[in-house]
Amino acid sequence: MIGSSRWEAGVRLTYQYPAQIGGIDVVAPSNESLTKSTLNILHEYSNYSGTSCAAPHVSGTAALLLASNGGMGPDDVERVLELTADDITLAPAAQGVDAHTGYGRINACRALRAVDLHDFQYIGPDSLAVNFSVASPEEVRLELIDDYENDNGDVFGPGMYDADVYRVDAVVANGLPVSANIVEAWPRVSYSNLFAAYTNDPVTDSNFLDPVEDLLLTSYTQDSAYLEGYVYEMFDTNGTAIGWIPFHVDSLQDKAKVAYTMMTGSGIGGAGDICDLINSTSVAIGDGYSLKAFPNPTTATISLLVQFDHFFENIEVDLYNANGALVKSVYSGPGQGKELLLTDDLEHLPSGMYFYVATTEAGKIAQRIIKQ
C-alpha cells in the first residue's frame, strides 16, 4: 500500500489488512521541485512527484543493501530500512512511528552502514533444534479475505468460515556466544510458513484472516528465541470440516518452518553520526570555520582549504565514501594560522561520491566531492 504527503511519498513494504494500522512503513522523496524523471516520448527530463518517485528511491536503496550483503532476504531489507530511517516530526507526522510517515524517511547511508558494520545471523528454517507446543484451540467465525490453497490441494475461497484457531509456540536454540551483543532481531516471514493470528475489527466486532504467512518473534536471548504463529482448522458455516490452513496441527514437526534474523554488533547510529553529517554536506557548518575542496569534480589530485577565525589545538581531516565508511585519514595536527591548505591524491580510488570531514573542538564540517 502506498500513500503520499506534501514532501515525501510513503511505501508499504508488507501487506497488512486495512482493519489494522493500514499505514506506511517508510517514506522517500517525492516533491516535484526535488525529483526529476525521464520522459520517454520527449527524450528529456521533467519534474515528477508522488509515489512513483518514492518507490525507486526505496528500491534503489534496497538494491544497495543486497549488493553489500547478498544473504539478506526481503524481511531483512525491510527491517534495516525501518531501523535506519530518519524520523519525521513535521505535522501531521509525530515523533516515533506514525501512520503518516511510518518509521520515517529512508537513509541510504545509515542503512548501508548498518549492514556493513554488523553481523547478521540467519537462523532457520531448517534448524533441527526447534520445539513446538500448541495451545488449546479457540473457536471463531471469520472472513477469509483472499483465495488460499494448501499443500493437500484444498482450496479456500474468500468468504465466511468457522475455524478452530491453534496458537503454535516455537522455541529455537540460537547457538550465539554469550558475548554476542544482539542489537535487533526480527522474524524472516518470507522463509516461514505459519500464519498470523486473525484480525478483529473492534468497530464491527468482525474477524478477518489474510491467508499469507506471518510470524511473531516474541522474545530472544543469546541462547534461544521464542516465536509465535497459528494454524487453522476450517469449517463451513454448517460445521463441516473442510481442511487446514496452512497444514494439519499434527504435522507441525514435519512441515512447520520458522526463521528469523539476529543483528549483532555495537548499535545502529543516530543523530550526530557520520551519516547525519554527510546528509547536510554544507561548506560552512560549525562555529567560525569552513571546508572547501577544488577542483570538484576531480580526476586525481584535489586541494582542501580549511578556514577558521581562531586557533584550534587539533584538526583532523578524513575522507569517507558514500556509505559513510572511512577511506583514509588525510591530516591530524594543529591548526596553522587562520587556514589550513592540504593536497590529497585520489587517483587510485574508484569513481564515485566521497566526503571530506574536518573535525575540531568546535565540531565537524563536511564537504562532498566527486571523483571522476
Side-chain angles (χ1 to χ4, degrees):
M1 178 179 175
I2 298 176
S4 61
S5 59
R6 181 181 177 187
W7 295 102
E8 314 282 346
V11 179
R12 183 85 194 155
L13 300 173
T14 55
Y15 181 82
Q16 195 171 25
Y17 188 66
Q20 293 177 275
I21 296 174
I24 293 170
D25 287 320
V26 292
V27 294
S30 70
N31 182 265
E32 64 178 12
S33 66
L34 302 175
T35 55
K36 292 183 180 295
S37 178
T38 54
L39 296 176
N40 293 333
I41 297 176
L42 300 178
H43 303 290
E44 61 184 28
Y45 288 91
S46 177
N47 294 338
Y48 209 67
S49 64
T51 54
S52 294
C53 288
H57 281 88
V58 178
S59 300
T61 306
L64 291 173
L65 296 182
L66 291 172
S68 179
N69 185 333
M72 298 182 73
D75 311 285
D76 308 315
V77 172
E78 175 184 358
R79 191 60 182 144
V80 168
L81 290 176
E82 293 172 344
L83 291 172
T84 58
D86 296 328
D87 189 21
I88 296 177
T89 58
L90 182 67
Q95 185 173 4
V97 182
D98 62 75
H100 298 283
T101 61
Y103 286 82
R105 183 192 306 110
I106 61 168
N107 187 319
C109 173
R110 193 166 288 143
L112 282 167
R113 279 179 61 80
V115 171
D116 290 342
L117 301 179
H118 293 86
D119 291 324
F120 290 76
Q121 313 295 331
Y122 306 118
I123 301 172
D126 299 318
S127 172
L128 299 178
V130 181
N131 293 314
F132 293 102
S133 61
V134 182
S136 299
E138 175 191 9
E139 297 180 5
V140 299
R141 174 159 291 188
L142 55 79
E143 180 181 355
L144 200 65
I145 65 173
D146 204 351
D147 294 296
Y148 180 76
E149 181 178 354
N150 65 18
D151 57 4
N152 287 330
D154 300 324
V155 178
F156 306 86
M160 298 302 301
Y161 296 84
D162 288 328
D164 285 349
V165 185
Y166 294 81
R167 191 189 79 235
V168 178
D169 297 307
V171 182
V172 186
N174 293 326
L176 296 182
V178 177
S179 59
N181 179 47
I182 303 173
V183 177
E184 181 78 12
W186 54 85
R188 302 186 96 193
V189 175
S190 302
Y191 300 87
S192 306
N193 61 2
L194 292 173
F195 275 32
Y198 63 87
T199 300
N200 176 263
D201 183 346
V203 177
T204 62
D205 195 27
S206 301
N207 302 315
F208 302 89
L209 177 62
D210 183 15
V212 294
E213 293 77 8
D214 205 350
L215 195 67
L216 289 176
L217 179 61
T218 57
S219 63
Y220 53 85
T221 65
Q222 286 87 349
D223 295 327
S224 56
Y226 301 82
L227 301 102
E228 177 185 302
Y230 290 81
V231 297
Y232 296 77
E233 184 176 13
M234 306 295 286
F235 302 83
D236 64 24
T237 53
N238 294 319
T240 302
I242 54 177
W244 290 78
I245 295 179
F247 43 74
H248 198 290
V249 69
D250 293 339
S251 303
L252 281 171
Q253 204 63 48
D254 295 328
K255 294 185 177 181
K257 294 184 178 181
V258 296
Y260 55 98
T261 296
M262 289 189 160
M263 184 170 72
T264 59
S266 59
I268 295 174
D273 72 2
I274 186 63
C275 293
D276 193 47
L277 179 62
I278 284 175
N279 286 345
S280 58
T281 63
S282 170
V283 297
I285 308 171
D287 181 14
Y289 68 108
S290 63
L291 171 61
K292 300 176 183 179
F294 51 90
N296 185 13
T298 183
T299 57
T301 302
I302 194 166
S303 296
L304 305 170
L305 179 61
V306 187
Q307 295 177 308
F308 32 85
D309 59 7
H310 63 280
F311 179 81
F312 288 108
E313 291 292 335
N314 186 67
I315 297 176
E316 295 181 1
V317 180
D318 301 305
L319 180 65
Y320 293 84
N321 64 20
N323 296 347
L326 178 65
V327 176
K328 61 178 176 178
S329 296
V330 180
Y331 177 84
S332 179
Q336 300 169 4
K338 288 192 175 182
E339 65 181 32
L340 175 64
L341 182 62
L342 303 170
T343 300
D344 194 21
D345 184 8
L346 307 180
E347 182 177 359
H348 300 294
L349 291 181
S351 299
M353 185 189 308
Y354 295 86
F355 296 85
Y356 283 102
V357 178
T359 305
T360 72
E361 301 95 296
K364 294 178 182 289
I365 182 171
Q367 172 62 54
R368 176 173 53 189
I369 65 105
I370 302 295
K371 165 61 176 16
Q372 293 180 329

